[in-house]
Amino acid sequence: MKKHIPNFLTCLNLAIGCVGIYYTLQGDGPEAFYFVIAAGLFDFLDGFAARMLRVQSEIGKQLDSLSDLVSFGLLPTFFMMQWLQETSTYFWIAIIIAVFSAIRLAVFNLDESQSDSFKGLPTPANAIMLTSLIFLPFEIYEYTLISICIFSAIMLVSPIRLIALKFSSSGWKGNEDRWILIIGILILLAVFRWTSFPYIIPFYIMVSVISYVARSAR
């Protein structure tokens, strides 16, 4: 039975994504973010359980990607479409989020160089970045939202190396960028609480880019 536990957790990720889409289409904006976070929790737990139980499988890998496409591809797509539809006739531009999320997940499944870092923005991080925009204390206008959709799609498939929180050891040496990222996020959460979420993923991208440039310069 233990070999089915990770896949069960993955299916919960998928189910939460489906419910999140339903509520998003009802116009409940903040709900989308909460469902993305809940789906992200099960997305983490399925991989963790598979490694702990040593039951990784190819079907689990593919099921995980299909679930991620729903929870972290379609859900933020409908979220942005609903938001854009209120102010713009170009709301369909948000579809590129789902398309590029699918490309991102397909590439990730075939790219063996992403074991200790990510190439491009992971779909869960992208979904958090988009759905957390609802917590910004100011209004975002039409062309800014369109620009965010385009930026999101580009980041998903960009060649930029981003930090993966996979520690070979718990020490500072060799993990400087990871610890800086974690400490920075904790400070943002402590100071700004819920309103910090729109800034966490841009902060993650910034730290990753600086780390990548620093490593390349050595």
Side-chain angles (χ1 to χ4, degrees), residues 70-91:
V70 173
S71 298
F72 310 125
L74 289 177
L75 201 165
T77 295
F78 285 117
F79 171 79
M80 294 301 289
M81 286 181 70
Q82 286 287 96
W83 198 350
L84 273 167
Q85 196 171 20
E86 297 175 3
T87 58
S88 175
T89 57
Y90 301 108
F91 61 91

Side-chain angles (χ1 to χ4, degrees), residues 91-110:
F91 61 91
W92 48 264
I93 192 69
I95 293 173
I96 64 174
I97 298 167
V99 173
F100 280 76
S101 292
I103 295 171
R104 154 76 192 169
L105 291 164
V107 170
F108 180 79
N109 281 352
L110 297 175

Side-chain angles (χ1 to χ4, degrees), residues 9-176:
L9 294 170
T10 302
C11 288
L12 288 177
N13 167 14
L14 174 60
I16 289 170
C18 291
V19 177
I21 289 172
Y22 169 79
Y23 279 103
T24 298
L25 292 176
Q26 301 304 308
D28 296 328
E31 300 292 338
F33 172 77
Y34 303 138
F35 280 104
V36 164
I37 294 297
L41 174 62
F42 286 105
D43 184 48
F44 167 78
L45 289 175
D46 66 4
F48 180 77
R51 290 189 295 272
M52 289 294 293
L53 298 173
R54 298 181 181 178
V55 289
Q56 294 100 324
S57 66
E58 187 60 32
I59 190 171
K61 182 179 179 181
Q62 301 304 323
L63 181 60
D64 184 68
S65 290
L66 291 170
S67 299
D68 286 357
L69 180 58
V70 173
S71 298
F72 310 125
L74 289 177
L75 201 165
T77 295
F78 285 117
F79 171 79
M80 294 301 289
M81 286 181 70
Q82 286 287 96
W83 198 350
L84 273 167
Q85 196 171 20
E86 297 175 3
T87 58
S88 175
T89 57
Y90 301 108
F91 61 91
W92 48 264
I93 192 69
I95 293 173
I96 64 174
I97 298 167
V99 173
F100 280 76
S101 292
I103 295 171
R104 154 76 192 169
L105 291 164
V107 170
F108 180 79
N109 281 352
L110 297 175
D111 189 352
E112 298 180 358
S113 71
Q114 298 191 52
S115 58
D116 59 350
S117 64
F118 296 115
K119 186 186 294 183
L121 187 63
T123 53
N126 186 60
I128 291 172
M129 178 178 70
L130 294 174
T131 57
S132 67
L133 293 174
I134 201 75
F135 296 112
L136 286 173
F138 51 83
E139 186 175 354
I140 306 177
Y141 296 99
E142 174 186 2
Y143 290 106
T144 302
L145 286 171
I146 291 173
S147 299
I148 289 171
C149 290
I150 295 171
F151 172 77
S152 162
I154 292 172
M155 285 304 303
L156 285 166
V157 297
S158 73
I160 298 173
R161 286 284 176 179
L162 300 178
I163 298 168
L165 293 178
K166 298 177 181 179
F167 291 81
S168 56
S169 67
S170 59
W172 173 264
K173 188 174 182 180
N175 295 309
E176 297 90 344

